[in-house]
Amino acid sequence: MKFEMEDDSPKEECGVIGVFAPDEDVARMTFFGLYALQHRGQEAAGMAVADGRAMSIHKGVWLVSQVFTSSVMDKLSGHYAIGHTRYSTTGSSSERNAQPFMIETMHGPLALAHNGNLVNSAELREELMQQGVGLSSSSDTEVMTMMLARNGGKTWEERIKYAMKKWVGAYSLVILTRDSVYAVRDPWGFRPLCIGLLPSGGHAVASETGALQTLGCEAIRDVKPGEIVELSDNALKVMQALPSVKPSAMCVFEHIYFARPDQVWDGIGVHTVRQRLGEELAREVLNGSLRETDDLIADVVIPVPDSSVPAAIGFSHVSGIPYNDGFIKNRYVGRTFIEPTDSLRKRGVALKFNVINENVRDKRVIMIDDSIVRGNTTGPLIKLLRSAGAKEVHVAITCPPIAHPCFMGVDMGKHDNLIAHKRTVEDIRQFVDADSLYYLSLDGMMRAVGRKDGFCQACFTGQYPIQVDVDTVKTGFERSLK
């Protein structure tokens, strides 16, 4: 039984990777690509490899480095591979939902790995079961795999295109056949997917540019919304299977929290956006009430590591308030098979963060964080700062209040779990015991991103790009499996 430290941040999405490298050890390349995507999911990892004739697979629950040992890697050989690191969206966290999914079909072996969430997965699952298809998991990824296996068409491109017409929601896919890797992205463009040229020949595709750079890829570009890209001996083969939706609905939380700072998505650098989020936040705060005459009432700006570090730097630059580290984060204690003692468990976030006392003692602190979701950790972090001697603790958040759940592949909980749902900023301030609390406005967030539209903002506004059934989009079809 594993122990996971409670965390108030939006839970990670998933990471996918696909590799075609005829003269390389693709399994090891895929491993290191997944390692670079580990931040996107720590619940399970898997890999499928094909050599032009047969396909092999290995997957399991836990971190990439624990699922894949040297002895496991020696058994995975071929020219084509896909991999996945998972945080559960549709389907609960369990070994049966680990990806990729692999099956034998009349067209040969097929494996699929998915980042995203189909909002009509329960309907599609019911349709398959009425056709007599047996399903072993509660994952929409298995539904997609089975649909591809049953589709007509002379080629896998035709079968994928036909299935895409029925899939509604977020999906960035890597699909493996015996002699090809396919990259597929939904027409809304919710989740990132990028592709690059390997220096030794062949191509790789991944959720983030950082994973491709780890493999030495060049000429990296995004897979376009609605596009199917084939990686095979015939080099890249591109098909626009569905017209892209205008404007697109890319997930803005990639920039706020999920992606590694070195990610470049649709031509926008994540680190740059995060620094601008802090700059915009400082401007809004300075134009508000965080002034006493001409003097700012804070002595130091500190981030909650790690995603808020660039934002705190930007906030400090605009405000003129010195930046310093306030927290040291234990990056490994939060996920372990060793259960803490009762006394350690009661310490909560103090087990995950330590305060650098001399940087906050007798100071008026502005704590920068990327979000407040359930409200579980902000209050304890503030308490840690006060216990370390901070005179005041002001909190500034680099996005608007999260008042609505996400149904496109991010686990933020339900309406009842979200502290900003039906609560005012003042209510939240009192709950977390901050001296003041500030959220970045929606306009300020988009100024930082540098776009007026093209990004999904549903978790802030409740206006979803596509219609959703809130009762079935996460685990609505799991009940039949219990």
Side-chain angles (χ1 to χ4, degrees), residues 326-373:
F327 294 105
I328 295 298
K329 183 178 181 181
N330 187 334
R331 290 169 173 79
Y332 307 103
V333 72
R335 291 177 178 271
T336 173
F337 283 105
I338 307 301
E339 288 285 335
T341 65
D342 288 340
S343 61
L344 286 174
R345 187 187 296 277
K346 289 175 182 178
R347 288 181 56 79
V349 297
L351 197 61
K352 193 171 183 178
F353 292 95
N354 288 81
V355 180
I356 304 175
N357 292 10
E358 58 268 30
N359 288 353
V360 302
R361 186 184 298 119
D362 298 325
K363 290 183 171 66
R364 295 163 294 187
V365 175
I366 297 181
M367 184 180 82
I368 308 295
D369 204 356
D370 52 69
S371 59
I372 301 177
V373 183

Side-chain angles (χ1 to χ4, degrees), residues 96 101 103 121-122 124-130 132-147 150 477 480-481:
R96 72 183 181 195
F101 275 93
I103 59 172
S121 56
L124 295 174
R125 188 177 195 273
E126 180 65 25
E127 182 179 316
L128 283 172
M129 295 185 74
Q130 288 181 357
V133 177
L135 299 170
S136 61
S137 78
S138 59
S139 170
D140 55 353
T141 309
E142 185 184 27
V143 171
M144 301 171 89
T145 308
M146 291 299 186
M147 289 179 67
R150 292 177 61 84
F477 54 62
S480 63
L481 296 174

Side-chain angles (χ1 to χ4, degrees), residues 92-103:
S92 61
S93 172
S94 66
E95 189 163 1
R96 72 183 181 195
N97 289 327
Q99 297 183 36
F101 275 93
M102 188 183 84
I103 59 172

Side-chain angles (χ1 to χ4, degrees), residues 293-413:
T293 63
D294 293 329
D295 298 322
L296 294 174
I297 65 169
D299 303 304
V300 64
V301 176
I302 66 168
V304 177
D306 292 304
S307 57
S308 300
V309 170
I313 293 171
F315 192 102
S316 173
H317 175 73
V318 169
S319 68
I321 304 170
Y323 167 95
N324 211 335
D325 292 324
F327 294 105
I328 295 298
K329 183 178 181 181
N330 187 334
R331 290 169 173 79
Y332 307 103
V333 72
R335 291 177 178 271
T336 173
F337 283 105
I338 307 301
E339 288 285 335
T341 65
D342 288 340
S343 61
L344 286 174
R345 187 187 296 277
K346 289 175 182 178
R347 288 181 56 79
V349 297
L351 197 61
K352 193 171 183 178
F353 292 95
N354 288 81
V355 180
I356 304 175
N357 292 10
E358 58 268 30
N359 288 353
V360 302
R361 186 184 298 119
D362 298 325
K363 290 183 171 66
R364 295 163 294 187
V365 175
I366 297 181
M367 184 180 82
I368 308 295
D369 204 356
D370 52 69
S371 59
I372 301 177
V373 183
R374 298 163 182 84
N376 296 330
T377 61
T378 304
L381 287 173
I382 293 171
K383 186 176 180 180
L384 284 177
L385 293 173
R386 295 196 193 280
S387 297
K391 290 165 57 178
E392 299 173 6
V393 182
H394 305 272
V395 178
I397 305 299
T398 62
C399 70
I402 298 172
H404 306 275
C406 174
F407 301 112
M408 312 306 168
V410 181
D411 188 358
M412 291 182 174

Side-chain angles (χ1 to χ4, degrees), residues 84-325:
H84 187 269
T85 182
R86 182 173 195 271
Y87 179 81
S88 64
T89 51
T90 291
S92 61
S93 172
S94 66
E95 189 163 1
R96 72 183 181 195
N97 289 327
Q99 297 183 36
F101 275 93
M102 188 183 84
I103 59 172
E104 291 289 339
T105 78
M106 68 179 68
H107 312 293
L110 174 70
L112 184 149
H114 173 208
N115 174 26
N117 196 56
L118 294 187
V119 301
N120 65 334
S121 56
E123 174 188 334
L124 295 174
R125 188 177 195 273
E126 180 65 25
E127 182 179 316
L128 283 172
M129 295 185 74
Q130 288 181 357
Q131 296 171 358
V133 177
L135 299 170
S136 61
S137 78
S138 59
S139 170
D140 55 353
T141 309
E142 185 184 27
V143 171
M144 301 171 89
T145 308
M146 291 299 186
M147 289 179 67
L148 287 177
R150 292 177 61 84
N151 282 349
K154 296 181 180 179
T155 65
W156 281 114
E157 293 98 320
E158 291 179 7
R159 298 173 199 121
I160 296 168
K161 180 178 180 179
Y162 180 76
M164 290 173 69
K165 295 177 181 178
K166 291 191 172 184
W167 294 337
V168 180
Y171 54 90
S172 284
L173 307 176
V174 285
I175 299 171
L176 178 68
T177 65
R178 63 162 61 99
D179 56 5
S180 289
V181 172
Y182 296 90
V184 184
R185 193 167 171 216
D186 68 72
W188 294 270
F190 284 108
R191 308 266 73 83
L193 195 62
C194 47
I195 194 165
L197 175 66
L198 289 165
S200 59
H203 292 81
V205 60
S207 295
E208 295 192 19
T209 54
L212 297 182
Q213 291 167 343
T214 296
L215 302 182
C217 281
E218 303 170 348
I220 297 172
R221 76 163 179 91
D222 292 319
V223 176
K224 297 177 182 178
E227 196 173 65
I228 302 172
V229 181
E230 180 186 4
L231 289 64
S232 70
D233 282 324
N234 297 320
L236 288 184
K237 181 179 178 182
V238 179
M239 172 192 294
Q240 189 68 41
L242 295 178
S244 59
V245 175
K246 301 295 183 182
S248 60
M250 296 183 291
C251 176
V252 73
F253 250 93
E254 289 286 341
H255 286 293
I256 295 169
Y257 174 71
F258 289 123
R260 278 184 11 173
D262 57 347
Q263 160 80 329
V264 177
W265 189 22
D266 199 36
I268 308 173
V270 168
H271 186 277
T272 299
V273 169
R274 288 180 184 164
Q275 188 159 330
R276 290 200 301 239
L277 287 168
E279 293 169 355
E280 291 292 340
L281 183 58
R283 293 186 185 101
E284 293 187 356
V285 170
L286 290 170
N287 291 330
S289 59
L290 196 56
R291 273 188 181 276
E292 287 184 353
T293 63
D294 293 329
D295 298 322
L296 294 174
I297 65 169
D299 303 304
V300 64
V301 176
I302 66 168
V304 177
D306 292 304
S307 57
S308 300
V309 170
I313 293 171
F315 192 102
S316 173
H317 175 73
V318 169
S319 68
I321 304 170
Y323 167 95
N324 211 335
D325 292 324

